[in-house]
Amino acid sequence: MTQDERGRHLSMSRRTALSLGAAALATPMLSRRAFAAPTQLTMLAWYGHAEPDIVAEFEAENNVKFVPKYYTGGDNMLGLISQSPPGTFDVILSDAEYVQQLNAAGYIEALDPADYPFDEFFPEFHRFPGHWDGDTLYSVITRFGFLGVAYNTDALTEAQASTYDVFWDPALQSKVGHFDWHLPNLGQISLLNGNASPYDIDAAAWDGVKEKTMSLRRQIGGFFDYGGTFSSLNNGQMLAFAGIGDWITGTLEKNGAKVRSVIPEQGGLQFTESFSIGKGSSKAELAKKWIQYITSAKGQAKSAQMAAYPCLIPNEKGWDVLNAENPQEAARQGMVPGQSNAMDMIRSGRIKYRQLPVQQSLEEWNDFWSDYKSA
């Protein structure tokens, strides 16, 4: 290296250093933020909602780190939040039927509807039941799915699985599994018994649901949590499953398992997930920003393909993004505009919203489920 080259090299180094310093001085907030520890945002949710495939982009853009607490089932969720001091959870994901209980217990904040993209949602989701108390919004729908009959495609055909009666097939004795939560399972039996409003049934109809459910007990090979449901279907331990749908079988099917879900002739149930801001959160503005992100068209397409379990999304523009990014998955889940799709299932009346029991208490349904499990 010549002296001139050395001199030019040193000169370039000083200019580079000066330019970097000047850039840092010109953007002091950016500089401080780049080196600041990320803000922790606590999330109470079903498994998967705070995993990297969903939150990594938001975390990077906002210097945030999600701290999740995962649960299985609405009762479990209520138990966790009731045992925690106010402000413990910044964002809370719950099933729609539990939002009213969260609100009644004072666990969630009121929201401003103008902050969220309801104008992009299908009309059915503008004022979703239970999310509002009068004209006050408490939770924003982010995704939903249908529950029917899940089955092993080597053991059953779609036609055989297209009725809840398949659970009583003698060939499936000890090969029928339950997702261990009373609401979806008893709702399906109620549909099988011909109750048009499966959760709004009188005492006689409730007795009928209990009697029919008890008659299934000899067929049952187990009651499974989230992980157990995946594994028992994947390894063939269970050949048919009550209380679930594509949110489980979709993930397995994409990974090569021979399982599928079908909405039976008696109809299916819809579960609905939504986000609220926890009462007393010191990071409510950041929590609002997260809900805005995940309910935007871009966030919705990401949510539909969540690695933990796929779901349908209520944002119509999200359907467009999903079809552009992953048309195969959009078709698999039935979210292609202009074709027979998930919204047609709702609009035709084949799908009923899952909800809390109307004429009985939640405890009464829960107590019967415990008796059934121990029978």
Side-chain angles (χ1 to χ4, degrees):
M1 180 180 291
T2 65
Q3 185 175 0
D4 182 60
E5 285 171 335
R6 280 185 67 219
R8 188 162 59 239
H9 176 76
L10 290 172
S11 177
M12 286 296 289
S13 296
R14 281 196 297 273
R15 284 200 297 272
T16 300
L18 287 170
S19 65
L20 289 173
L25 289 171
T27 55
M29 293 302 293
L30 177 62
S31 179
R32 282 198 294 273
R33 192 166 57 188
F35 293 102
T39 300
Q40 291 192 339
L41 202 61
T42 54
M43 177 192 291
L44 182 63
W46 285 85
Y47 176 75
H49 286 267
E51 297 304 298
D53 64 298
I54 296 296
V55 303
E57 182 181 69
F58 182 83
E59 287 183 331
E61 290 178 351
N62 296 278
N63 197 29
V64 165
K65 180 62 180 175
F66 276 96
V67 179
K69 177 67 176 178
Y70 292 132
Y71 63 79
T72 300
D75 300 330
N76 182 212
M77 180 269 296
L78 286 174
L80 288 170
I81 197 169
S82 68
Q83 297 163 14
S84 305
T88 297
F89 301 109
D90 299 304
V91 289
I92 299 170
L93 180 98
S94 71
D95 292 86
E97 58 267 44
Y98 284 83
V99 173
Q100 295 172 62
Q101 295 193 54
L102 289 171
N103 182 31
Y107 293 150
I108 53 178
E109 299 279 3
L111 306 175
D112 184 348
D115 287 335
Y116 306 100
F118 285 105
D119 58 334
E120 297 180 359
F121 286 12
F122 290 103
E124 286 82 357
F125 304 118
H126 287 181
R127 290 183 68 95
F128 197 79
H131 288 180
W132 298 72
D133 184 1
D135 290 328
T136 304
L137 175 70
Y138 283 91
S139 199
V140 183
I141 179 174
T142 182
R143 61 211 307 257
F144 63 99
F146 301 151
L147 309 175
V149 173
Y151 64 101
N152 183 303
T153 56
D154 279 343
L156 297 169
T157 65
E158 181 173 331
Q160 289 174 311
S162 293
T163 170
Y164 292 116
D165 287 318
V166 74
F167 295 143
W168 282 262
D169 186 333
L172 296 180
Q173 187 168 8
S174 300
K175 291 291 184 181
V176 178
H178 276 302
F179 180 62
D180 191 6
W181 190 16
H182 55 84
L183 277 185
N185 289 284
L186 298 180
Q188 290 185 334
I189 300 297
S190 188
L191 282 173
L192 174 60
N193 277 7
N195 298 313
S197 299
Y199 297 93
D200 189 1
I201 55 178
D202 62 19
W206 172 231
D207 286 342
V209 169
K210 291 189 287 187
E211 182 179 359
K212 186 68 175 178
T213 304
M214 277 296 184
S215 73
L216 182 61
R217 187 65 184 86
R218 66 181 181 277
Q219 293 288 98
I220 301 304
F223 297 81
F224 299 90
D225 61 9
Y226 175 84
T229 301
F230 269 103
S231 61
S232 62
L233 271 172
N234 191 43
N235 63 23
Q237 180 187 0
M238 295 296 116
L239 300 180
F241 234 92
I244 62 167
D246 189 69
W247 73 283
I248 293 282
T249 58
T251 302
L252 291 171
E253 186 182 9
K254 285 193 292 185
N255 287 283
K258 294 181 177 180
V259 295
R260 297 205 71 187
S261 296
V262 62
I263 302 302
E265 62 191 41
Q266 296 90 357
L269 299 171
Q270 177 182 318
F271 70 87
T272 308
E273 297 177 344
S274 61
F275 272 113
S276 299
I277 297 176
K279 195 79 167 183
S281 168
S282 61
K283 301 155 191 167
E285 279 301 312
L286 199 51
K288 179 178 75 176
K289 198 170 183 178
W290 160 252
I291 299 174
Q292 290 171 331
Y293 169 84
I294 202 62
T295 55
S296 69
K298 180 177 69 171
Q300 287 278 275
K302 192 185 297 291
S303 185
Q305 305 171 78
M306 192 169 84
Y309 59 100
C311 265
L312 303 163
I313 50 175
N315 188 320
E316 191 170 5
K317 289 188 177 179
W319 283 33
D320 295 335
V321 176
L322 178 64
N323 276 275
E325 290 181 352
N326 191 347
Q328 184 177 2
E329 179 62 11
R332 196 194 66 79
Q333 291 201 57
M335 287 189 281
V336 180
Q339 298 182 9
S340 177
N341 58 47
M343 293 307 299
D344 294 332
M345 298 277 282
I346 296 173
R347 290 166 181 168
S348 69
R350 288 197 67 198
I351 302 297
K352 307 293 184 183
Y353 295 143
R354 197 183 63 201
Q355 61 181 123
L356 299 178
V358 176
Q359 300 188 46
Q360 298 81 39
S361 69
L362 185 61
E363 289 74 20
E364 189 173 352
W365 280 45
N366 205 3
D367 288 346
F368 169 71
W369 187 248
S370 297
D371 293 342
Y372 171 65
K373 289 170 64 177
S374 61

